[in-house]
Amino acid sequence: MKYLLTGGTGYIGSHTVVELLELGHEVVILDNLANSSVKVLERVEKICGKRPAFVEGNICNRDDLDKVFTAHQIEAVVHFAGLKAVGESNQIPLSYYHNNVSGSVTLFQAMSDHNVKKLVFSSSATVYGENNVSPLDESMPTSATNPYGQTKLMIENILVDLAKSDSDWSIINLRYFNPIGAHASGLIGENPNGIPNNLLPYVAQVAVGRLAELNVFGDDYDTPDGTGVRDYIHVVDLAQGHVKALEKIDAHNGCHAINLGTGNGTSVLQIVESFKRVSGRDIPFKIAPRRAGDIATVFAHADKAAKALNWQAKLDLNAMIEDTWRWQSNNPNGYE
Ligand code: NAD
Ligand code: UDP
């Protein structure tokens, strides 16, 4: 099968490219390199012995999309492309609504016009908002607390309407929890621009000496050690969840939301301790004020993915941190 991966040179996209190529599928990437490096392609080739087709282009540009759908017989689309920094989305909301929401609508229209109606969309646990109690399951009410989260929720709702309007559409909204880790080869991994917003890349950069110390955002939450608890999931498990979702949409239609998480929660201090042990490096940290918008505990109810996709996360926290450390220590400056 030939799949189009928008945002396929990014962190989660590149790991999904590897899983698909290794299964013998063909992959076309459309990415404008807003938050990724073209060097990912040679790294992917080193891992799989194959190179995906790459088109540098923008999902907001209908011509770019038409060129891809005309040149390639695409079976289904995995839509990763989007801006993802929560803090930045508060500062430049219009860029987020334009890139993520308008770009997605342009993509879906192009898909419809080229009669490609199978889609896996990168949604997020952020659509559960702040009022639900973990474990979070797919039947809970959704809401958003920032423009980034709004874009995910809007796109999910657009896709629900689209599937209602035309029963040929087959769509899965995958709600990711907290992807971390890297491919076991150490050749591809997360490569954030500037100072990382997320915990794992920040901790990894402290361990490697690029950043001086970690700020732990709050130690007075109602959690076992007072620090925030999240459901960290290995990016390779996540990538394999996409393979299962592509198999599923091939056989059924409608629009479904499915969590990709492990169902386990880990605190910030547990992450710091594990990282210290695995890396053998000190991770200096200080307790800082809570970060606005954070909630104490977020973890998934993971049963629906097990039943609907026959998928469950296999890799444990140790593997997640070992692989993060291998990637970070082999590539202290990312792909540069
Ligand atoms: P990433 O930034 O590494 O990858 C996104 C890719 O999309 C980048 O390569 C970027 O260059 C590309 N892109 C952005 N706008 C584009 C546009 N208009 N046209 C073409 N390409 C464009 O991010 P990621 O961590 O791999 O996340 C992938 C998707 O998963 C995103 O939609 C993100 O919101 C979602 N998600 C990520 C997380 C996470 O913690 N990483 C959690 C939940 C959901
Ligand atoms: N966190 C932290 N210091 C940082 C970054 C994150 O203490 O520099 C905490 C954050 O408060 C949360 C957890 O780590 O409890 C995961 O944060 P991240 O931004 O990675 O994911 P999200 O909050 O979006 O789930």
Side-chain angles (χ1 to χ4, degrees):
M1 301 264 199
K2 196 185 255 192
Y3 297 117
L4 171 63
L5 272 56
T6 71
T9 44
Y11 172 46
I12 304 168
S14 57
H15 288 81
T16 307
V17 170
V18 166
E19 296 304 312
L20 289 170
L21 290 177
E22 286 187 336
L23 286 170
H25 297 297
E26 289 180 76
V27 173
V28 182
I29 295 174
L30 176 70
D31 200 302
N32 65 357
L33 303 176
N35 195 38
S36 55
S37 166
V38 76
K39 291 188 179 144
V40 163
L41 302 173
E42 62 204 47
R43 300 290 185 94
V44 166
E45 191 173 9
K46 263 193 189 164
I47 297 172
C48 314
K50 289 179 228 168
R51 209 180 170 100
F54 175 69
V55 178
E56 186 173 343
N58 195 318
I59 55 163
C60 300
N61 183 334
R62 182 61 202 251
D63 288 344
D64 290 350
L65 293 163
D66 284 334
K67 276 185 201 142
V68 173
F69 286 111
T70 306
H72 300 275
Q73 193 66 40
I74 301 293
E75 178 69 23
V77 176
V78 189
H79 177 31
F80 297 103
L83 299 173
K84 63 165 185 177
V86 172
E88 184 184 65
S89 80
N90 285 311
Q91 287 146 16
I92 49 168
L94 294 180
S95 301
Y96 272 68
Y97 288 115
H98 175 67
N99 193 73
N100 294 7
V101 182
S102 304
S104 295
V105 171
T106 307
L107 169 68
F108 305 152
Q109 187 64 59
M111 289 176 67
S112 180
D113 293 344
H114 291 270
N115 205 27
V116 178
K117 296 187 177 177
K118 293 177 187 165
L119 174 72
V120 175
F121 169 58
S122 296
S123 189
S124 164
T126 191
V127 301
Y128 290 110
E130 55 191 357
N131 297 321
N132 293 304
V133 176
S134 290
L136 300 171
D137 81 67
E138 294 86 347
S139 67
M140 287 175 164
T142 51
S143 63
T145 53
N146 55 67
Y148 167 71
Q150 288 286 4
T151 69
K152 292 293 167 191
L153 196 49
M154 284 179 179
I155 298 164
E156 278 206 15
N157 288 333
I158 289 167
L159 290 171
V160 169
D161 289 341
L162 187 56
K164 268 190 214 154
S165 74
D166 174 355
S167 61
D168 287 347
W169 279 91
S170 182
I171 299 166
I172 295 183
N173 292 321
L174 290 177
R175 295 177 176 168
Y176 311 155
F177 282 69
N178 291 58
I180 64 168
H183 191 265
S185 62
L187 287 166
I188 55 172
E190 188 170 13
N191 183 32
N193 279 332
I195 296 179
N197 299 302
N198 294 111
L199 180 64
L200 257 290
Y202 202 108
V203 168
Q205 291 192 15
V206 172
V208 86
R210 262 173 82 175
L211 294 169
E213 69 176 356
L214 171 73
N215 290 304
V216 173
F217 296 143
D219 68 348
D220 56 354
Y221 285 106
D222 183 15
T223 61
D225 64 20
T227 65
V229 167
R230 295 291 182 274
D231 184 341
Y232 297 97
I233 172 167
H234 198 296
V235 67
V236 171
D237 274 331
L238 196 75
Q240 289 169 358
H242 291 74
V243 174
K244 294 287 191 182
L246 285 168
E247 287 168 10
K248 178 81 180 177
I249 55 165
D250 204 33
H252 87 137
N253 53 10
C255 180
H256 302 268
I258 301 182
N259 288 341
L260 291 184
T262 65
N264 303 315
T266 304
S267 75
V268 176
L269 291 182
Q270 285 174 316
I271 291 281
V272 170
E273 276 315 307
S274 303
F275 214 103
K276 266 190 188 170
R277 182 177 45 74
V278 165
S279 65
R281 301 285 180 96
D282 191 22
I283 317 273
F285 69 86
K286 70 169 189 295
I287 305 300
R290 290 182 178 195
R291 183 172 65 179
D294 272 359
I295 53 181
T297 300
V298 179
F299 62 94
H301 195 278
D303 285 9
K304 187 168 176 187
K307 285 195 193 107
L309 303 182
N310 189 26
W311 170 93
Q312 65 181 40
K314 296 187 200 116
L315 297 164
D316 63 11
L317 188 67
N318 207 52
M320 298 183 213
I321 293 191
E322 278 179 0
D323 292 339
T324 302
W325 178 236
R326 186 179 305 107
W327 156 251
Q328 183 68 66
S329 47
N330 288 352
N331 306 272
N333 297 311
Y335 291 105
E336 297 318 313

